[in-house]
Amino acid sequence: MAVYKIRCEVMSIAGDKEKCIGAAKMQKGEKFIFEARTPEGMCVRAFNAIFPSAFAMRYSDKMPWEKGDGYADVTCPDGDIVVRLTRVKDDEVQI
């Protein structure tokens, strides 16, 4: 069974803002890597939103709800940010 790292990238924030209203003030374009622990600096509310999808993607090659070339967009309820989840292949640069 493959175990992937998951790249989490803030793609957009409602209202074209540069920072979300959440506690961590995540910024558009900010990237995190999800592995066995909560990514350092990621807002816990955003983490709770991405966790189910990121966990499933970490242990599978393809999920039926993925879009395009193996990614999923997840919306955080706090600040209306969209986080794109993408598998990181072993030979890829992580961030």
Side-chain angles (χ1 to χ4, degrees):
M1 170 175 59
V3 178
Y4 297 98
K5 295 175 184 176
I6 305 297
R7 180 184 301 114
C8 311
E9 181 176 358
V10 179
M11 300 302 291
S12 64
I13 301 173
D16 288 328
K17 297 175 188 160
E18 289 300 315
K19 291 183 180 180
C20 77
I21 62 170
K25 304 295 183 224
M26 291 172 49
Q27 299 179 28
K28 186 176 176 181
E30 197 167 4
K31 298 177 187 175
F32 305 90
I33 294 294
F34 172 72
E35 293 183 81
R37 300 183 188 277
T38 306
E40 185 176 342
M42 180 179 268
C43 178
V44 71
R45 292 176 181 147
F47 179 74
N48 284 331
I50 65 116
F51 180 77
S53 298
F55 188 81
M57 290 175 71
R58 187 162 152 72
Y59 296 101
S60 64
D61 292 322
K62 179 84 174 141
M63 295 304 292
W65 34 260
E66 288 179 29
K67 299 176 182 177
D69 191 24
Y71 71 89
D73 289 340
V74 178
T75 302
C76 176
D78 187 27
D80 295 325
I81 66 168
V82 175
V83 179
R84 178 162 292 172
L85 308 176
T86 311
R87 285 181 195 81
V88 176
K89 310 292 185 197
D90 286 334
D91 57 346
E92 287 182 34
V93 175
Q94 291 185 12
I95 292 187

